Amino acid sequence: MTIEPAVKARRDAAAGQGSVIRSVIAGVGAYLPERQVTNHELAKTIDTSDEWIVERTGIRVRHVAAEGEFTSHLAVKASERALAAAGIGAGAIDLIVLATTTPDETFPATATRVQERLGLTRGVAFDVQAVCSGFIFALAVADNFLRLGQAETALVIGAETFSRILDWQDRSTCVLFGDGAGAVVLRAGQGKGTPADRGILTTRLHSDGRQHDLLYATGGVSSTKTAGVVRMDGRKVFKHAVEKLAGVVDESLASAGLTSADIDWVVPHQANRRIIDGVGKKLGLPPERVVVTVDHHANTSAASVPLALAEATADGRIKRNDVVVMEAMGGGFTWGAAVARM
Ligand code: UT7
């Protein structure tokens, strides 16, 4: 991809003035499918109960996409809302990074469907696959594009129709997930390279392929020619999650030159209320500083962090200049965190 002259000039100007490019979060948007499925409804078809699901996970209800409603449809709606919140037209976007495990098609990338439906005829659009950590990975990719001057305005999306890869007879997984999409608009701004800058201050990513068997799908294009269904050793994943998430949050804070006392909001991946509480406790964070949506969204994989960010931004909890730490962990394993000043 070529660097636009205006973008190059901005990068060179920043370097000349001893300042740095920061990816500023200019707008956040979300979309949830209309249909909501309660725990009570699930208990009619599988051997489970509202009591068990609430006690073990905190989940009460999840949204499920309608027939014919695809990941790209959810992504476009979330993107339109993020663009409106940023107060910019889609024409300004020169990069779309979409995180999903449930693309519309094996190819092309769902991001290109979104690009087309937003009416864009230029720029770059591609998907990122890191399962539940996908949004953090996509954010890191887009942030690096912006900081290198290779794009100026990016749309970063987490969108999933995870309901399509669930085994609805497997009570240990099917009660945990939901569908949805969240998006953020990133714009290249300038900072002094200090934690006081607005924008993404750091991203930290990790993967460990040795843990494949604890969380995976039973199929894939190359192996079975089908998408497969989710399988998880929940208890083992749980233990890894608390350790790894607390670790990567600490690491990201150190990298940003901050401590947990500087955090205004943690926006965690919404897999399980007990994991969210466990990480908060390990970090010594007051629970009222942690955004929780798992009760009404369930685990929406790559969409969970931007959905939670959108909710807490829209209701006024997260304000301009607040320090927000986003974190997630998923199959692979993959895990990561991002620190941003809003
Ligand atoms: O987003 C990617 C990352 N994913 C996660 O972070 C998920 C991590 N894991 C978890 O959230 C939890 O481990 C689960 C919610 C999946 C399970 O909770 P748990 O407290 O670890 O339960 P368990 O798997 O140890 O199962 C306890 C019992 C079992 O019965 P027995 O063997 O003790 O008789 C299960 O068969 O609960 C049973 N069980 C259920 N009972 C009613 C499992 N699922 C259900 C269910 N309803 N839906």
Side-chain angles (χ1 to χ4, degrees):
M1 138 182 218
T2 55
I3 302 177
E4 305 257 348
V7 176
K8 186 175 181 308
R10 179 192 288 267
R11 189 184 65 181
D12 293 347
Q17 292 160 15
S19 61
V20 298
I21 296 177
R22 291 290 196 194
S23 309
V24 177
I25 298 179
V28 192
Y31 180 76
L32 291 155
E34 257 172 51
R35 185 169 162 233
Q36 298 186 43
V37 177
T38 63
N39 295 342
H40 294 291
E41 266 178 273
L42 292 178
K44 287 182 194 155
T45 55
I46 50 166
D47 182 17
T48 190
S49 64
D50 177 58
E51 202 183 2
W52 189 95
I53 301 171
V54 172
E55 190 189 309
R56 299 294 177 116
T57 72
I59 297 166
R60 292 179 186 278
V61 64
R62 73 282 294 138
H63 291 250
V64 175
E67 207 178 316
E69 189 173 37
F70 302 156
T71 294
S72 65
H73 298 122
L74 310 184
V76 167
K77 286 183 173 143
S79 299
E80 286 168 346
R81 290 174 183 181
L83 286 164
I88 63 167
I93 299 294
D94 50 16
L95 173 68
I96 300 176
V97 188
L98 185 149
T100 192
T101 307
T102 47
D104 289 14
E105 298 163 319
T106 300
F107 81 89
T110 301
T112 59
R113 299 291 260 176
V114 174
Q115 182 192 31
E116 186 264 327
R117 294 216 190 102
L118 291 176
L120 294 176
T121 54
R122 67 180 192 100
V124 178
F126 58 90
D127 290 357
V128 159
Q129 215 298 42
V131 211
C132 296
S133 316
F135 180 76
I136 306 292
F137 277 56
L139 200 64
V141 170
D143 177 44
N144 286 327
F145 265 78
L146 263 60
R147 286 190 301 108
L148 281 171
Q150 291 191 325
E152 198 160 16
T153 308
L155 197 51
V156 184
I157 308 163
E160 300 276 17
T161 45
F162 230 70
S163 61
R164 307 263 152 78
I165 55 165
L166 296 176
D167 172 354
W168 287 98
Q169 302 307 313
D170 175 11
R171 68 176 184 173
S172 72
T173 54
C174 76
V175 303
L176 305 175
F177 294 91
D179 299 336
V184 302
V185 174
L186 296 182
R187 297 208 90 173
Q190 283 188 18
K192 294 190 164 64
T194 74
D197 292 344
R198 283 189 69 219
I200 295 176
L201 300 175
T202 194
T203 57
R204 310 296 296 178
L205 307 180
H206 295 277
S207 307
D208 183 354
R210 290 172 303 174
Q211 310 299 342
H212 169 277
D213 293 356
L214 298 185
L215 180 52
Y216 63 100
T218 55
V221 182
S222 180
S223 55
T224 62
K225 298 187 197 167
T226 65
V229 291
V230 177
R231 290 283 180 259
M232 175 165 71
D233 185 333
R235 216 177 288 189
K236 287 190 181 147
V237 175
F238 189 110
K239 277 194 191 135
H240 277 280
V242 176
E243 290 293 320
K244 287 182 163 53
L245 289 170
V248 78
V249 169
D250 269 341
E251 183 191 334
S252 66
L253 286 170
S255 148
L258 298 168
T259 70
S260 58
D262 298 307
I263 300 176
D264 292 301
W265 292 100
V266 176
V267 181
H269 173 47
Q270 309 284 323
N272 185 317
R273 178 73 207 231
R274 291 184 295 136
I275 296 177
I276 295 171
D277 292 346
V279 173
K281 218 177 242 177
K282 251 182 180 298
L283 295 167
L285 288 169
E288 58 273 16
R289 290 277 152 208
V290 183
V291 178
V292 179
T293 57
V294 69
D295 54 328
H296 53 289
H297 293 169
N299 181 349
T300 56
S301 183
S304 96
V305 169
L307 274 169
L309 186 70
E311 187 173 294
T313 306
D315 67 19
R317 273 179 287 171
I318 295 179
K319 296 184 181 65
R320 194 182 164 100
N321 277 317
D322 278 355
V323 170
V324 173
V325 178
M326 296 166 260
E327 45 90 328
M329 188 235 180
F333 288 151
T334 55
W335 66 104
V339 181
R341 188 177 291 280
M342 301 298 286

